[in-house]
């Protein structure tokens, strides 16, 4: 099957890991995948790059992006129309509700009547990540995103979503497939060697928060402080992903800062290495619409390298965690989640029965999810 992905940017963050890993898995199953991507850096050139064997045709933003914001700059969206795909595809799959890629995808929808057009929705933006806009540019960004978030599912022949929450929002629409985020199976690295690589203390228990989206990072810092005088072992915290200034602002003058390491923004390989080196991953989630809509990839990144993970009973991973060995589902309220960490650490360090079970994770491999997506494409092809 010949498949084209249309995406808003090309840097490795956020939804990039959803479409890029899916593209790799689809190719591994014998299908052809090309990615048509934007670039928020208007100083770059139109180009083609190879990313893990996936061709990326990249159209950079115009300088007007400084006025209208990526990825909803109308002039950049029009620029894409001068770089339409020259190949024919069976499936045209759009990711995220933004103007840059969606304008081209929508034009092709009228020109390629025989093809299947699919939209992927993996975050709730309006009423989720986007709340009260400030200033004209933010209001414009939110207005365009709101219109597209409502319209694009109706334009597509089928929609893929990452959570039951988003699927339920499309309950009046046919042809919606639930496709989770996944992981790549790999040999479990030697934890002792990785701890040496990261300079960890031999006898300390290490917890890690890894990720760019850090609205609940203060939960993690509070939980680390809470357990310090309630447990006999030394517990250290490692933070990677959020901006430096934000992390330092939350830490302030904490007397526990000597037991907290900030490692900056890591690439995917280093983030995976860190996830395997620590003793516990932390993914707190407040009970709000944005967190209910998404599927943090770090959840499986921890479990797939046999690192236990402590989450909140919120959204998709909160539900899945209750059925997986090594996953601890805590409360969705800050104070109770903070206090719940003590039980988790005590369990792991005293009578923890077994590590995360790889057999339980098999349904979440990228290859398994890619086959689900191919089956969905084929079903859509059979619909007149």
């Amino acid at each position: 099957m010949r498949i084209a992905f249309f995406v808003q940017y090309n840097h490795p963050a956020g939804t990039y890991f959803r479409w890029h890993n899916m593209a790799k898995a689809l190719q591994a199953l014998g299908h052809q995948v090309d990615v048509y991507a934007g670039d928020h850096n208007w100083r770059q050139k139109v180009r083609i790059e190879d990313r893990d064997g996936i061709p990326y045709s990249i159209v950079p933003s115009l300088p007007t992006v400084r006025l209208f914001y990526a990825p909803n700059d109308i002039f950049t969206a029009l620029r894409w129309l001068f770089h339409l795909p020259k190949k024919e595809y069976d499936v045209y799959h759009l990711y995220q509700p933004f103007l840059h890629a969606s304008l081209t995808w929508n034009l092709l929808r009228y020109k390629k009547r025989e093809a299947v057009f699919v939209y992927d929705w993996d975050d709730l933006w309006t009423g989720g990540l986007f709340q009260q806009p400030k200033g004209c540019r933010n209001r414009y960004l939110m207005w365009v995103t709101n219109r597209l978030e409502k319209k694009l599912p109706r334009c597509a022949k089928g929609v893929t979503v990452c959570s039951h929450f988003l699927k339920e929002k499309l309950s009046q629409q046919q042809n919606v497939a639930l496709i989770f985020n996944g992981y790549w199976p790999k040999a479990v690295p030697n934890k002792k060697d990785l701890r040496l690589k990261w300079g960890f203390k031999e006898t300390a228990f290490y917890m890690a928060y890894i990720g760019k989206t850090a609205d609940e990072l203060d939960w993690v810092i509070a939980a680390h402080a809470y357990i310090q005088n309630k447990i006999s072992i030394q517990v250290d915290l490692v933070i990677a992903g959020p901006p430096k200034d934000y992390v330092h602002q939350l830490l302030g003058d904490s007397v526990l800062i000597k037991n907290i390491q900030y490692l900056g923004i890591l690439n995917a390989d280093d983030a995976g290495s860190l996830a395997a080196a620590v003793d516990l991953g932390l993914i707190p989630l407040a009970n709000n619409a944005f967190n209910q809509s998404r599927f943090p990839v770090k959840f499986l990144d921890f479990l797939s390298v046999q690192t236990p993970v402590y989450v909140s009973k919120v959204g998709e991973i909160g539900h899945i965690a209750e059925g997986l060995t090594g996953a601890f589902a805590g409360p969705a309220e800050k104070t109770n989640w903070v206090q719940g960490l003590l039980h988790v650490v005590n369990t792991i360090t005293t009578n923890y029965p077994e590590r995360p079970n790889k057999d339980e994770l098999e349904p979440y491999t990228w290859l398994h999810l890619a086959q689900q997506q191919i089956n969905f494409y084929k079903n859509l092809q059979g619909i007149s």
Side-chain angles (χ1 to χ4, degrees):
M1 190 174 286
R2 300 164 300 172
I3 304 161
F5 284 178
F6 292 81
V7 303
Q8 315 298 333
Y9 56 88
N10 70 92
H11 56 274
T15 304
Y16 174 93
F17 296 108
R18 178 169 172 83
W19 76 64
H20 185 71
N21 284 299
M22 179 58 73
K24 287 168 58 179
L26 290 170
Q27 288 216 149
L29 293 177
H31 304 279
Q32 174 195 334
V33 183
D34 295 332
V35 177
Y36 294 87
D39 189 333
H40 293 176
N41 185 353
W42 58 271
R43 292 184 176 87
Q44 291 291 337
K45 296 180 179 179
V46 175
R47 62 198 186 276
I48 297 177
E49 293 183 3
D50 182 281
R51 305 272 184 94
D52 298 319
I54 310 294
Y56 271 66
S57 299
I58 301 173
V59 179
S61 299
L62 291 170
T64 48
V65 76
R66 294 177 294 177
L67 177 63
F68 291 102
Y69 280 155
N72 281 341
D73 170 31
I74 181 61
F75 297 101
T76 296
L78 291 171
R79 184 185 192 184
W80 276 56
L81 302 183
F82 293 92
H83 301 278
L84 296 176
K86 294 180 173 59
K87 298 180 183 179
E88 297 292 327
Y89 298 96
D90 303 302
V91 177
Y92 294 77
H93 201 149
L94 171 69
Y95 284 75
Q96 298 186 302
F98 300 114
L99 193 60
H100 287 185
S102 66
L103 187 63
T104 292
W105 177 85
N106 209 32
L107 174 65
L108 292 170
R109 191 168 60 90
Y110 290 101
K111 297 179 67 173
K112 312 290 183 181
R113 297 285 185 174
E114 301 302 315
V116 171
F117 282 77
V118 183
Y119 168 62
D120 182 80
W121 194 20
D122 76 324
D123 287 309
L124 180 67
W125 291 88
T126 308
L129 189 60
F130 290 171
Q131 293 292 334
Q132 296 298 324
K134 297 179 181 179
C136 294
R137 289 193 298 175
N138 279 327
R139 283 195 291 271
Y140 166 79
L141 176 67
M142 188 169 176
W143 177 76
V144 174
T145 303
N146 181 37
R147 288 178 61 87
L148 290 173
E149 200 161 27
K150 293 177 179 177
K151 178 182 177 182
L152 290 172
R154 298 195 298 267
C155 293
K157 195 167 190 177
V159 181
T160 52
V161 295
C162 72
S163 65
H164 282 91
F165 178 85
L166 292 177
K167 187 174 182 179
E168 289 168 6
K169 283 192 167 292
L170 300 174
S171 60
Q172 301 303 311
Q173 183 164 329
Q174 295 181 333
N175 307 322
V176 180
L178 182 62
I179 307 290
F180 295 135
N181 287 329
Y183 78 99
W184 291 102
K186 61 180 78 69
V188 178
N190 186 295
K191 190 177 287 287
K192 184 177 180 180
D193 292 342
L194 291 176
R195 288 170 72 93
L196 288 173
K197 169 187 172 180
W198 291 102
F200 288 174
K201 303 161 193 168
E202 186 173 347
T203 59
F205 181 93
Y206 279 86
M207 309 183 302
Y209 181 92
I210 307 173
K212 185 178 179 181
T213 303
D215 289 348
E216 291 85 14
L217 181 57
D218 61 312
W219 294 29
V220 171
I221 295 170
H224 176 252
Y226 175 78
I227 67 173
Q228 289 303 307
N229 298 322
K230 297 177 175 62
I231 196 165
S232 59
I233 61 172
Q234 180 179 335
V235 179
D236 282 20
L237 172 63
V238 181
I239 300 170
K244 180 179 180 180
D245 291 345
Y246 178 69
V247 174
H248 286 181
Q249 178 183 348
L250 289 178
L251 290 176
D253 298 324
S254 172
V255 296
L256 299 172
I257 199 167
K258 63 180 181 180
N259 294 332
I260 300 175
Q261 296 183 48
Y262 172 66
L263 299 179
I265 299 173
L266 304 180
N267 61 39
D269 289 340
D270 283 341
S273 167
L274 180 61
V278 299
D279 301 293
L280 178 64
L282 302 175
I283 309 178
L285 298 171
N287 189 14
N288 56 48
F290 174 60
N291 285 333
Q292 290 177 34
S293 74
R294 64 194 189 102
F295 191 116
V297 295
K298 290 297 179 287
F299 175 67
L300 292 169
D301 287 348
F302 284 119
L303 292 175
S304 64
V305 291
Q306 297 193 341
T307 296
V309 62
Y310 179 42
V311 305
S312 304
K313 293 179 184 177
V314 173
E316 212 59 49
I317 68 168
H319 173 72
I320 293 172
E322 294 185 287
L324 293 179
T325 306
F328 297 85
E333 184 271 328
K334 179 179 177 179
T335 300
N336 291 330
W337 188 91
V338 166
Q339 295 175 357
L341 177 63
L342 180 61
H343 169 73
V344 173
V345 174
N346 275 327
T347 300
I348 294 173
T349 56
T350 56
N351 61 348
Y352 190 54
E354 55 185 319
R355 289 287 166 183
N357 187 325
K358 282 199 166 186
D359 291 337
E360 295 176 354
L361 300 179
E362 178 61 28
Y364 307 104
T365 65
W366 281 114
L367 288 177
H368 185 90
L369 297 170
Q371 188 58 59
Q372 290 182 8
Q373 192 145 305
I374 285 296
N375 293 341
F376 183 56
Y377 290 158
K378 290 180 178 178
N379 288 338
L380 294 175
Q381 286 180 321
I383 298 173
S384 58

